[in-house]
Amino acid sequence: MTEKHIPKATAKRLPLYYRFLNNLHYQGKTRVSSKELSEAVKIDSATIRRDFSYFGALGKKGYGYNVEYLLAFFKKTLDQDEVTEVALVGVGNLGTAFLHYNFMRSNNTKIVVGFDADEEKVGTSIEGIPIYHIDDMKEKMKDIHVAILTVPVSEAEEMTEKLVEKGVSGILNFTPARITVPPHIRVHDIDLAVELQTLVYFLKHYPLSTDNT
Amino acid sequence: MTEKHIPKATAKRLPLYYRFLNNLHYQGKTRVSSKELSEAVKIDSATIRRDFSYFGALGKKGYGYNVEYLLAFFKKTLDQDEVTEVALVGVGNLGTAFLHYNFMRSNNTKIVVGFDADEEKVGTSIEGIPIYHIDDMKEKMKDIHVAILTVPVSEAEEMTEKLVEKGVSGILNFTPARITVPPHIRVHDIDLAVELQTLVYFLKHYPLSTDNT
């Protein structure tokens, strides 16, 4: 495997390709063209062909790509056969949405535990996932190194410190806070307000009727 | 204004800069260096300086940037003085999280109406935002052209068709579905499972202890 040489931009698109191919497979499709793939995942077909070229020449002219082969390849690349357990910190509306979300449907990422400070939530479970008190994080997170942060912004820094102390290696941050972590910890930020504002900004300044890129 | 010439990558970072500068302003800070900005928003300072150069040379050596000036500039650029009204379609856990989220705190994007098919939710309100039945969309969305889609994946296509029919120009899609719209409608996709899977993939293949980019 030459995974280390896959460009990051390509790597970012892998889960997207995988999810779509998995759906095709469920529908019984055995092959797919880069044009079909392009329309489905909304990525131009030149980019798709270039991305796929990093894994070797998988496509055939006039035939397209073999779905099963691609799936097996991506499955291996994305380590789909190995389940990554994830903790969720903050069981509010957003956190609850995550717990209900069926992450297992097309990948092997699984939320196995939730934490909250609310005594009414502690001791309950959602979709079979137990909710513990945040003070029990150390004890209940033993082999979990990835966390989703869905606490109120006022709690973000304190909870991040707890997670760092616990030894996580990655945090998916859904709070508007720009959290501070040691350099060996990877943080992916998703700020709902910024996402919405960016869409509105693009609508105003790059209307699609005149700019189709 | 030469907004049309701002590169898209720069445009995408504007809301992020704006939000942070707004926080600084609230804290009473009058100036900020590109290094401070860089640490706060986690974007390297060379990129920040290049981004800012598209608006003219705003920074001064040894002084940094004037917060108030930058804020006024970004405010104008992001059209902060003009409120964009947004509709939310699907008042489940994720939708409810959005309604509770205070979008007005640092920008002028405002959810003013919610839609759901659940009769128990229809007629209620969350944070003062009324929830109507999806069948009343046409009547209740009159001047709204942006929608957040937070329905179950099985409803995504049908709700998208309703929104297209209603004449929206932008959709923030939080369902795992890759929705199909006419080319003049802008869709931004945020798939929670893909975000989580991407973080896990990066953790496995680009560990930060050996690769610090």
Short mmCIF file of all heavy atoms in Angstrom, two decimals, chain A residues 16-78:
data_model
loop_
_atom_site.label_atom_id
_atom_site.label_comp_id
_atom_site.label_asym_id
_atom_site.label_seq_id
_atom_site.Cartn_x
_atom_site.Cartn_y
_atom_site.Cartn_z
N LEU A 16 -16.47 9.70 0.98
CA LEU A 16 -17.59 10.03 0.12
C LEU A 16 -17.75 9.01 -1.00
O LEU A 16 -18.85 8.52 -1.27
CB LEU A 16 -17.31 11.43 -0.47
CG LEU A 16 -18.48 12.23 -0.98
CD1 LEU A 16 -19.51 12.42 0.12
CD2 LEU A 16 -17.99 13.59 -1.46
N TYR A 17 -16.65 8.68 -1.66
CA TYR A 17 -16.68 7.65 -2.71
C TYR A 17 -17.18 6.33 -2.12
O TYR A 17 -18.02 5.65 -2.69
CB TYR A 17 -15.28 7.42 -3.29
CG TYR A 17 -14.69 8.58 -4.07
CD1 TYR A 17 -13.33 8.87 -3.99
CD2 TYR A 17 -15.48 9.37 -4.90
CE1 TYR A 17 -12.77 9.91 -4.71
CE2 TYR A 17 -14.93 10.41 -5.63
CZ TYR A 17 -13.57 10.68 -5.53
OH TYR A 17 -13.01 11.71 -6.24
N TYR A 18 -16.63 6.00 -0.98
CA TYR A 18 -16.96 4.72 -0.38
C TYR A 18 -18.44 4.60 -0.09
O TYR A 18 -19.09 3.60 -0.40
CB TYR A 18 -16.16 4.50 0.92
CG TYR A 18 -16.54 3.20 1.58
CD1 TYR A 18 -16.16 1.99 1.02
CD2 TYR A 18 -17.32 3.19 2.73
CE1 TYR A 18 -16.54 0.79 1.59
CE2 TYR A 18 -17.70 2.00 3.30
CZ TYR A 18 -17.31 0.80 2.73
OH TYR A 18 -17.70 -0.38 3.29
N ARG A 19 -19.00 5.66 0.50
CA ARG A 19 -20.41 5.65 0.86
C ARG A 19 -21.29 5.46 -0.39
O ARG A 19 -22.23 4.67 -0.40
CB ARG A 19 -20.77 6.96 1.56
CG ARG A 19 -22.26 7.15 1.78
CD ARG A 19 -22.53 8.45 2.52
NE ARG A 19 -22.24 8.28 3.92
CZ ARG A 19 -23.16 7.89 4.81
NH1 ARG A 19 -24.38 7.62 4.42
NH2 ARG A 19 -22.86 7.76 6.08
N PHE A 20 -20.96 6.19 -1.45
CA PHE A 20 -21.79 6.09 -2.66
C PHE A 20 -21.67 4.71 -3.31
O PHE A 20 -22.67 4.13 -3.72
CB PHE A 20 -21.41 7.19 -3.66
CG PHE A 20 -22.19 7.09 -4.93
CD1 PHE A 20 -23.54 7.37 -4.96
CD2 PHE A 20 -21.58 6.67 -6.11
CE1 PHE A 20 -24.27 7.26 -6.12
CE2 PHE A 20 -22.30 6.55 -7.28
CZ PHE A 20 -23.66 6.84 -7.28
N LEU A 21 -20.46 4.20 -3.39
CA LEU A 21 -20.26 2.88 -3.99
C LEU A 21 -20.98 1.80 -3.19
O LEU A 21 -21.51 0.83 -3.74
CB LEU A 21 -18.76 2.56 -4.10
CG LEU A 21 -18.04 3.38 -5.17
CD1 LEU A 21 -16.53 3.30 -4.98
CD2 LEU A 21 -18.42 2.88 -6.56
N ASN A 22 -20.99 1.97 -1.88
CA ASN A 22 -21.68 1.04 -1.02
C ASN A 22 -23.18 1.03 -1.34
O ASN A 22 -23.81 -0.02 -1.41
CB ASN A 22 -21.45 1.45 0.44
CG ASN A 22 -21.38 0.25 1.36
OD1 ASN A 22 -21.05 -0.85 0.92
ND2 ASN A 22 -21.69 0.47 2.62
N ASN A 23 -23.74 2.23 -1.57
CA ASN A 23 -25.15 2.32 -1.94
C ASN A 23 -25.42 1.63 -3.27
O ASN A 23 -26.40 0.91 -3.43
CB ASN A 23 -25.58 3.79 -2.03
CG ASN A 23 -25.73 4.42 -0.66
OD1 ASN A 23 -25.85 3.71 0.34
ND2 ASN A 23 -25.70 5.73 -0.60
N LEU A 24 -24.52 1.86 -4.25
CA LEU A 24 -24.66 1.23 -5.56
C LEU A 24 -24.66 -0.28 -5.42
O LEU A 24 -25.45 -0.99 -6.04
CB LEU A 24 -23.48 1.62 -6.47
CG LEU A 24 -23.53 2.95 -7.19
CD1 LEU A 24 -22.36 3.04 -8.16
CD2 LEU A 24 -24.84 3.12 -7.94
N HIS A 25 -23.76 -0.78 -4.60
CA HIS A 25 -23.62 -2.21 -4.37
C HIS A 25 -24.91 -2.78 -3.81
O HIS A 25 -25.38 -3.83 -4.24
CB HIS A 25 -22.45 -2.44 -3.42
CG HIS A 25 -22.12 -3.89 -3.22
ND1 HIS A 25 -21.76 -4.72 -4.25
CD2 HIS A 25 -22.11 -4.65 -2.10
CE1 HIS A 25 -21.54 -5.93 -3.78
NE2 HIS A 25 -21.75 -5.91 -2.49
N TYR A 26 -25.51 -2.07 -2.85
CA TYR A 26 -26.78 -2.49 -2.26
C TYR A 26 -27.87 -2.57 -3.33
O TYR A 26 -28.77 -3.39 -3.27
CB TYR A 26 -27.22 -1.54 -1.14
CG TYR A 26 -26.66 -1.91 0.20
CD1 TYR A 26 -25.84 -1.02 0.90
CD2 TYR A 26 -26.95 -3.14 0.79
CE1 TYR A 26 -25.31 -1.35 2.14
CE2 TYR A 26 -26.42 -3.47 2.03
CZ TYR A 26 -25.61 -2.58 2.70
OH TYR A 26 -25.09 -2.91 3.92
N GLN A 27 -27.79 -1.65 -4.31
CA GLN A 27 -28.79 -1.61 -5.37
C GLN A 27 -28.53 -2.67 -6.45
O GLN A 27 -29.25 -2.75 -7.43
CB GLN A 27 -28.81 -0.22 -6.03
CG GLN A 27 -29.37 0.89 -5.15
CD GLN A 27 -28.94 2.26 -5.65
OE1 GLN A 27 -28.65 2.44 -6.82
NE2 GLN A 27 -28.90 3.22 -4.75
N GLY A 28 -27.45 -3.42 -6.27
CA GLY A 28 -27.15 -4.50 -7.20
C GLY A 28 -26.37 -4.08 -8.43
O GLY A 28 -26.21 -4.87 -9.37
N LYS A 29 -25.87 -2.83 -8.45
CA LYS A 29 -25.10 -2.39 -9.61
C LYS A 29 -23.69 -2.97 -9.56
O LYS A 29 -23.07 -3.04 -8.49
CB LYS A 29 -25.03 -0.86 -9.67
CG LYS A 29 -26.35 -0.23 -10.10
CD LYS A 29 -26.13 1.16 -10.67
CE LYS A 29 -25.45 1.12 -12.03
NZ LYS A 29 -25.50 2.42 -12.72
N THR A 30 -23.16 -3.42 -10.73
CA THR A 30 -21.84 -4.04 -10.72
C THR A 30 -20.77 -3.13 -11.32
O THR A 30 -19.59 -3.33 -11.09
CB THR A 30 -21.85 -5.36 -11.52
OG1 THR A 30 -22.35 -5.08 -12.84
CG2 THR A 30 -22.75 -6.38 -10.84
N ARG A 31 -21.19 -2.12 -12.12
CA ARG A 31 -20.19 -1.18 -12.62
C ARG A 31 -20.72 0.24 -12.65
O ARG A 31 -21.94 0.46 -12.62
CB ARG A 31 -19.70 -1.61 -14.01
CG ARG A 31 -20.79 -1.67 -15.05
CD ARG A 31 -20.24 -2.32 -16.31
NE ARG A 31 -21.03 -1.96 -17.48
CZ ARG A 31 -20.75 -2.33 -18.73
NH1 ARG A 31 -19.69 -3.08 -18.97
NH2 ARG A 31 -21.49 -1.95 -19.72
N VAL A 32 -19.79 1.18 -12.70
CA VAL A 32 -20.17 2.59 -12.65
C VAL A 32 -19.16 3.39 -13.47
O VAL A 32 -17.95 3.11 -13.44
CB VAL A 32 -20.23 3.09 -11.18
CG1 VAL A 32 -18.85 3.00 -10.52
CG2 VAL A 32 -20.75 4.51 -11.09
N SER A 33 -19.65 4.37 -14.22
CA SER A 33 -18.73 5.23 -15.00
C SER A 33 -18.31 6.41 -14.13
O SER A 33 -18.96 6.74 -13.14
CB SER A 33 -19.43 5.75 -16.25
OG SER A 33 -20.47 6.63 -15.90
N SER A 34 -17.20 7.06 -14.51
CA SER A 34 -16.77 8.22 -13.73
C SER A 34 -17.78 9.35 -13.88
O SER A 34 -17.94 10.19 -13.01
CB SER A 34 -15.36 8.67 -14.11
OG SER A 34 -15.27 8.91 -15.49
N LYS A 35 -18.52 9.35 -15.00
CA LYS A 35 -19.55 10.38 -15.20
C LYS A 35 -20.70 10.18 -14.20
O LYS A 35 -21.16 11.13 -13.56
CB LYS A 35 -20.08 10.31 -16.64
CG LYS A 35 -21.01 11.44 -17.03
CD LYS A 35 -21.16 11.55 -18.53
CE LYS A 35 -22.26 12.53 -18.93
NZ LYS A 35 -23.62 12.00 -18.74
N GLU A 36 -21.15 8.92 -14.05
CA GLU A 36 -22.21 8.63 -13.08
C GLU A 36 -21.76 8.98 -11.66
O GLU A 36 -22.47 9.62 -10.90
CB GLU A 36 -22.55 7.13 -13.09
CG GLU A 36 -23.43 6.67 -14.23
CD GLU A 36 -23.56 5.15 -14.22
OE1 GLU A 36 -22.58 4.45 -14.57
OE2 GLU A 36 -24.63 4.66 -13.82
N LEU A 37 -20.55 8.53 -11.34
CA LEU A 37 -19.98 8.82 -10.03
C LEU A 37 -19.95 10.33 -9.81
O LEU A 37 -20.32 10.83 -8.75
CB LEU A 37 -18.54 8.29 -9.96
CG LEU A 37 -18.27 7.09 -9.08
CD1 LEU A 37 -16.85 6.60 -9.33
CD2 LEU A 37 -18.46 7.42 -7.62
N SER A 38 -19.51 11.04 -10.84
CA SER A 38 -19.37 12.49 -10.77
C SER A 38 -20.71 13.15 -10.45
O SER A 38 -20.80 14.02 -9.60
CB SER A 38 -18.83 13.00 -12.11
OG SER A 38 -18.96 14.39 -12.19
N GLU A 39 -21.76 12.71 -11.15
CA GLU A 39 -23.07 13.30 -10.93
C GLU A 39 -23.60 13.00 -9.53
O GLU A 39 -24.25 13.83 -8.91
CB GLU A 39 -24.06 12.80 -11.99
CG GLU A 39 -23.93 13.59 -13.29
CD GLU A 39 -24.63 12.92 -14.46
OE1 GLU A 39 -25.45 12.01 -14.23
OE2 GLU A 39 -24.32 13.30 -15.61
N ALA A 40 -23.27 11.82 -9.05
CA ALA A 40 -23.80 11.41 -7.75
C ALA A 40 -23.10 12.11 -6.59
O ALA A 40 -23.74 12.56 -5.66
CB ALA A 40 -23.68 9.90 -7.59
N VAL A 41 -21.78 12.19 -6.65
CA VAL A 41 -21.07 12.78 -5.53
C VAL A 41 -20.72 14.24 -5.76
O VAL A 41 -20.13 14.89 -4.89
CB VAL A 41 -19.79 11.98 -5.14
CG1 VAL A 41 -20.15 10.56 -4.73
CG2 VAL A 41 -18.79 11.95 -6.29
N LYS A 42 -21.13 14.78 -6.90
CA LYS A 42 -20.93 16.20 -7.22
C LYS A 42 -19.46 16.61 -7.22
O LYS A 42 -19.09 17.64 -6.67
CB LYS A 42 -21.72 17.11 -6.25
CG LYS A 42 -23.09 16.63 -5.87
CD LYS A 42 -24.09 16.84 -6.96
CE LYS A 42 -25.49 16.42 -6.48
NZ LYS A 42 -26.37 16.07 -7.60
N ILE A 43 -18.64 15.73 -7.79
CA ILE A 43 -17.21 16.05 -7.96
C ILE A 43 -16.93 15.83 -9.44
O ILE A 43 -17.42 14.85 -10.01
CB ILE A 43 -16.33 15.12 -7.09
CG1 ILE A 43 -16.58 15.40 -5.61
CG2 ILE A 43 -14.85 15.25 -7.44
CD1 ILE A 43 -16.00 14.35 -4.69
N ASP A 44 -16.20 16.74 -10.10
CA ASP A 44 -16.03 16.59 -11.54
C ASP A 44 -15.26 15.32 -11.88
O ASP A 44 -14.41 14.86 -11.12
CB ASP A 44 -15.37 17.83 -12.16
CG ASP A 44 -13.96 17.99 -11.71
OD1 ASP A 44 -13.75 18.50 -10.58
OD2 ASP A 44 -13.04 17.60 -12.44
N SER A 45 -15.59 14.73 -13.04
CA SER A 45 -15.07 13.40 -13.36
C SER A 45 -13.55 13.39 -13.56
O SER A 45 -12.90 12.38 -13.33
CB SER A 45 -15.80 12.78 -14.55
OG SER A 45 -15.90 13.69 -15.61
N ALA A 46 -12.98 14.53 -13.98
CA ALA A 46 -11.51 14.59 -14.12
C ALA A 46 -10.85 14.38 -12.76
O ALA A 46 -9.86 13.66 -12.63
CB ALA A 46 -11.10 15.93 -14.72
N THR A 47 -11.43 15.02 -11.74
CA THR A 47 -10.90 14.87 -10.37
C THR A 47 -11.04 13.43 -9.90
O THR A 47 -10.11 12.87 -9.31
CB THR A 47 -11.65 15.82 -9.41
OG1 THR A 47 -11.49 17.16 -9.88
CG2 THR A 47 -11.10 15.71 -7.99
N ILE A 48 -12.19 12.83 -10.20
CA ILE A 48 -12.41 11.44 -9.80
C ILE A 48 -11.37 10.53 -10.45
O ILE A 48 -10.75 9.70 -9.79
CB ILE A 48 -13.84 10.99 -10.17
CG1 ILE A 48 -14.85 11.70 -9.27
CG2 ILE A 48 -13.98 9.46 -10.07
CD1 ILE A 48 -16.30 11.38 -9.59
N ARG A 49 -11.17 10.72 -11.77
CA ARG A 49 -10.18 9.87 -12.46
C ARG A 49 -8.78 10.07 -11.90
O ARG A 49 -8.03 9.12 -11.71
CB ARG A 49 -10.21 10.15 -13.97
CG ARG A 49 -11.37 9.45 -14.69
CD ARG A 49 -11.21 9.51 -16.20
NE ARG A 49 -11.19 10.88 -16.69
CZ ARG A 49 -12.29 11.55 -17.08
NH1 ARG A 49 -13.47 10.97 -17.05
NH2 ARG A 49 -12.19 12.79 -17.49
N ARG A 50 -8.44 11.32 -11.58
CA ARG A 50 -7.13 11.59 -11.00
C ARG A 50 -7.01 10.95 -9.62
O ARG A 50 -6.02 10.31 -9.29
CB ARG A 50 -6.86 13.09 -10.93
CG ARG A 50 -5.40 13.44 -10.77
CD ARG A 50 -5.16 14.94 -10.71
NE ARG A 50 -5.93 15.56 -9.65
CZ ARG A 50 -6.86 16.51 -9.82
NH1 ARG A 50 -7.13 16.96 -11.02
NH2 ARG A 50 -7.49 17.02 -8.79
N ASP A 51 -8.07 11.13 -8.81
CA ASP A 51 -8.08 10.52 -7.47
C ASP A 51 -7.84 9.01 -7.58
O ASP A 51 -6.98 8.46 -6.88
CB ASP A 51 -9.43 10.76 -6.78
CG ASP A 51 -9.54 12.16 -6.20
OD1 ASP A 51 -8.54 12.90 -6.22
OD2 ASP A 51 -10.64 12.52 -5.74
N PHE A 52 -8.61 8.38 -8.47
CA PHE A 52 -8.54 6.92 -8.58
C PHE A 52 -7.18 6.47 -9.10
O PHE A 52 -6.73 5.37 -8.80
CB PHE A 52 -9.65 6.39 -9.49
CG PHE A 52 -11.01 6.38 -8.83
CD1 PHE A 52 -11.24 7.11 -7.67
CD2 PHE A 52 -12.05 5.65 -9.36
CE1 PHE A 52 -12.49 7.11 -7.05
CE2 PHE A 52 -13.31 5.64 -8.75
CZ PHE A 52 -13.53 6.38 -7.61
N SER A 53 -6.54 7.33 -9.88
CA SER A 53 -5.24 6.95 -10.44
C SER A 53 -4.19 6.75 -9.34
O SER A 53 -3.22 6.02 -9.52
CB SER A 53 -4.76 8.01 -11.43
OG SER A 53 -4.30 9.15 -10.74
N TYR A 54 -4.40 7.39 -8.20
CA TYR A 54 -3.44 7.21 -7.10
C TYR A 54 -3.47 5.79 -6.54
O TYR A 54 -2.57 5.37 -5.83
CB TYR A 54 -3.72 8.22 -5.97
CG TYR A 54 -3.41 9.64 -6.36
CD1 TYR A 54 -4.41 10.58 -6.50
CD2 TYR A 54 -2.09 10.04 -6.60
CE1 TYR A 54 -4.13 11.89 -6.87
CE2 TYR A 54 -1.79 11.33 -6.98
CZ TYR A 54 -2.81 12.26 -7.11
OH TYR A 54 -2.53 13.54 -7.48
N PHE A 55 -4.54 5.08 -6.85
CA PHE A 55 -4.62 3.68 -6.38
C PHE A 55 -4.26 2.71 -7.49
O PHE A 55 -4.46 1.51 -7.37
CB PHE A 55 -6.03 3.37 -5.88
CG PHE A 55 -6.61 4.43 -5.01
CD1 PHE A 55 -7.62 5.24 -5.46
CD2 PHE A 55 -6.09 4.65 -3.74
CE1 PHE A 55 -8.14 6.24 -4.66
CE2 PHE A 55 -6.61 5.64 -2.94
CZ PHE A 55 -7.63 6.44 -3.39
N GLY A 56 -3.76 3.21 -8.60
CA GLY A 56 -3.50 2.37 -9.77
C GLY A 56 -4.62 2.61 -10.77
O GLY A 56 -5.64 3.22 -10.47
N ALA A 57 -4.43 2.09 -12.02
CA ALA A 57 -5.43 2.33 -13.07
C ALA A 57 -6.60 1.37 -12.90
O ALA A 57 -6.58 0.24 -13.38
CB ALA A 57 -4.79 2.16 -14.44
N LEU A 58 -7.63 1.82 -12.24
CA LEU A 58 -8.75 0.92 -11.93
C LEU A 58 -9.85 0.95 -12.98
O LEU A 58 -10.64 0.02 -13.07
CB LEU A 58 -9.33 1.27 -10.56
CG LEU A 58 -8.38 1.17 -9.37
CD1 LEU A 58 -9.05 1.62 -8.09
CD2 LEU A 58 -7.89 -0.26 -9.21
N GLY A 59 -9.95 2.02 -13.76
CA GLY A 59 -11.06 2.15 -14.70
C GLY A 59 -10.72 1.60 -16.09
O GLY A 59 -9.56 1.54 -16.47
N LYS A 60 -11.77 1.18 -16.80
CA LYS A 60 -11.56 0.71 -18.18
C LYS A 60 -12.44 1.52 -19.10
O LYS A 60 -13.63 1.71 -18.82
CB LYS A 60 -11.93 -0.77 -18.31
CG LYS A 60 -10.82 -1.72 -17.87
CD LYS A 60 -11.32 -3.17 -17.98
CE LYS A 60 -10.52 -4.08 -17.07
NZ LYS A 60 -11.27 -5.29 -16.73
N LYS A 61 -11.88 1.97 -20.23
CA LYS A 61 -12.63 2.80 -21.17
C LYS A 61 -13.87 2.05 -21.67
O LYS A 61 -13.79 0.89 -22.03
CB LYS A 61 -11.75 3.21 -22.35
CG LYS A 61 -11.83 4.72 -22.50
CD LYS A 61 -10.97 5.33 -23.51
CE LYS A 61 -11.21 6.83 -23.44
NZ LYS A 61 -10.07 7.60 -23.83
N GLY A 62 -15.01 2.72 -21.70
CA GLY A 62 -16.23 2.12 -22.21
C GLY A 62 -16.87 1.14 -21.24
O GLY A 62 -17.96 0.64 -21.48
N TYR A 63 -16.20 0.86 -20.16
CA TYR A 63 -16.76 -0.05 -19.17
C TYR A 63 -16.98 0.67 -17.84
O TYR A 63 -17.99 0.52 -17.18
CB TYR A 63 -15.83 -1.25 -18.97
CG TYR A 63 -16.27 -2.19 -17.87
CD1 TYR A 63 -17.16 -3.23 -18.14
CD2 TYR A 63 -15.81 -2.03 -16.56
CE1 TYR A 63 -17.58 -4.07 -17.14
CE2 TYR A 63 -16.24 -2.87 -15.55
CZ TYR A 63 -17.11 -3.90 -15.84
OH TYR A 63 -17.54 -4.74 -14.83
N GLY A 64 -16.02 1.52 -17.50
CA GLY A 64 -16.09 2.22 -16.22
C GLY A 64 -15.37 1.47 -15.14
O GLY A 64 -14.39 0.76 -15.40
N TYR A 65 -15.84 1.58 -13.94
CA TYR A 65 -15.19 0.96 -12.80
C TYR A 65 -16.03 -0.20 -12.28
O TYR A 65 -17.25 -0.13 -12.24
CB TYR A 65 -14.99 1.98 -11.68
CG TYR A 65 -14.12 3.14 -12.06
CD1 TYR A 65 -14.67 4.31 -12.57
CD2 TYR A 65 -12.73 3.05 -11.94
CE1 TYR A 65 -13.87 5.38 -12.93
CE2 TYR A 65 -11.92 4.11 -12.30
CZ TYR A 65 -12.49 5.27 -12.79
OH TYR A 65 -11.69 6.32 -13.16
N ASN A 66 -15.34 -1.24 -11.86
CA ASN A 66 -16.01 -2.38 -11.25
C ASN A 66 -16.33 -2.04 -9.79
O ASN A 66 -15.45 -1.79 -8.99
CB ASN A 66 -15.08 -3.60 -11.33
CG ASN A 66 -15.70 -4.83 -10.71
OD1 ASN A 66 -16.10 -4.82 -9.54
ND2 ASN A 66 -15.80 -5.89 -11.49
N VAL A 67 -17.63 -2.01 -9.48
CA VAL A 67 -18.08 -1.57 -8.16
C VAL A 67 -17.50 -2.43 -7.04
O VAL A 67 -16.98 -1.92 -6.04
CB VAL A 67 -19.63 -1.55 -8.08
CG1 VAL A 67 -20.09 -1.31 -6.64
CG2 VAL A 67 -20.20 -0.48 -8.99
N GLU A 68 -17.57 -3.75 -7.23
CA GLU A 68 -17.12 -4.64 -6.18
C GLU A 68 -15.62 -4.49 -5.90
O GLU A 68 -15.18 -4.48 -4.76
CB GLU A 68 -17.45 -6.10 -6.55
CG GLU A 68 -17.85 -6.93 -5.36
CD GLU A 68 -18.57 -8.21 -5.81
OE1 GLU A 68 -19.47 -8.11 -6.68
OE2 GLU A 68 -18.21 -9.27 -5.31
N TYR A 69 -14.86 -4.35 -7.01
CA TYR A 69 -13.42 -4.19 -6.88
C TYR A 69 -13.09 -2.90 -6.13
O TYR A 69 -12.29 -2.88 -5.19
CB TYR A 69 -12.76 -4.18 -8.26
CG TYR A 69 -11.26 -4.05 -8.22
CD1 TYR A 69 -10.45 -5.18 -8.18
CD2 TYR A 69 -10.65 -2.80 -8.20
CE1 TYR A 69 -9.08 -5.07 -8.12
CE2 TYR A 69 -9.28 -2.67 -8.14
CZ TYR A 69 -8.50 -3.81 -8.10
OH TYR A 69 -7.14 -3.69 -8.03
N LEU A 70 -13.76 -1.81 -6.56
CA LEU A 70 -13.54 -0.52 -5.92
C LEU A 70 -13.88 -0.57 -4.43
O LEU A 70 -13.14 -0.08 -3.58
CB LEU A 70 -14.41 0.56 -6.58
CG LEU A 70 -13.85 1.27 -7.80
CD1 LEU A 70 -14.89 2.23 -8.35
CD2 LEU A 70 -12.57 2.03 -7.46
N LEU A 71 -15.02 -1.20 -4.15
CA LEU A 71 -15.46 -1.30 -2.76
C LEU A 71 -14.44 -2.03 -1.90
O LEU A 71 -14.10 -1.57 -0.80
CB LEU A 71 -16.79 -2.05 -2.69
CG LEU A 71 -18.05 -1.21 -2.56
CD1 LEU A 71 -19.24 -2.11 -2.33
CD2 LEU A 71 -17.93 -0.21 -1.41
N ALA A 72 -13.96 -3.15 -2.44
CA ALA A 72 -12.98 -3.94 -1.68
C ALA A 72 -11.72 -3.09 -1.44
O ALA A 72 -11.14 -3.11 -0.36
CB ALA A 72 -12.64 -5.21 -2.45
N PHE A 73 -11.35 -2.34 -2.49
CA PHE A 73 -10.15 -1.51 -2.39
C PHE A 73 -10.32 -0.40 -1.34
O PHE A 73 -9.48 -0.21 -0.47
CB PHE A 73 -9.85 -0.88 -3.76
CG PHE A 73 -8.49 -0.30 -3.84
CD1 PHE A 73 -7.42 -1.04 -4.32
CD2 PHE A 73 -8.26 1.00 -3.41
CE1 PHE A 73 -6.16 -0.50 -4.37
CE2 PHE A 73 -6.99 1.55 -3.46
CZ PHE A 73 -5.95 0.80 -3.94
N PHE A 74 -11.45 0.31 -1.44
CA PHE A 74 -11.69 1.40 -0.48
C PHE A 74 -11.86 0.86 0.93
O PHE A 74 -11.42 1.47 1.89
CB PHE A 74 -12.94 2.19 -0.87
CG PHE A 74 -12.73 3.09 -2.05
CD1 PHE A 74 -13.66 3.14 -3.07
CD2 PHE A 74 -11.60 3.88 -2.13
CE1 PHE A 74 -13.46 3.98 -4.17
CE2 PHE A 74 -11.40 4.72 -3.23
CZ PHE A 74 -12.33 4.76 -4.25
N LYS A 75 -12.51 -0.29 1.01
CA LYS A 75 -12.75 -0.91 2.31
C LYS A 75 -11.43 -1.14 3.02
O LYS A 75 -11.26 -0.82 4.19
CB LYS A 75 -13.48 -2.24 2.11
CG LYS A 75 -14.37 -2.68 3.26
CD LYS A 75 -15.10 -3.96 2.87
CE LYS A 75 -15.67 -4.65 4.06
NZ LYS A 75 -17.04 -4.28 4.38
N LYS A 76 -10.49 -1.65 2.24
CA LYS A 76 -9.16 -1.92 2.79
C LYS A 76 -8.49 -0.59 3.16
O LYS A 76 -7.91 -0.44 4.22
CB LYS A 76 -8.34 -2.66 1.74
CG LYS A 76 -7.11 -3.35 2.29
CD LYS A 76 -6.41 -4.14 1.20
CE LYS A 76 -4.99 -4.47 1.61
NZ LYS A 76 -4.17 -4.83 0.45
N THR A 77 -8.60 0.37 2.24
CA THR A 77 -7.93 1.66 2.45
C THR A 77 -8.51 2.39 3.65
O THR A 77 -7.79 3.01 4.43
CB THR A 77 -8.08 2.53 1.19
OG1 THR A 77 -7.61 1.79 0.07
CG2 THR A 77 -7.28 3.82 1.32
N LEU A 78 -9.80 2.36 3.79
CA LEU A 78 -10.44 3.07 4.89
C LEU A 78 -10.48 2.25 6.18
O LEU A 78 -11.04 2.67 7.17
CB LEU A 78 -11.87 3.46 4.50
CG LEU A 78 -12.02 4.60 3.49
CD1 LEU A 78 -13.46 4.72 3.06
CD2 LEU A 78 -11.54 5.91 4.09
#
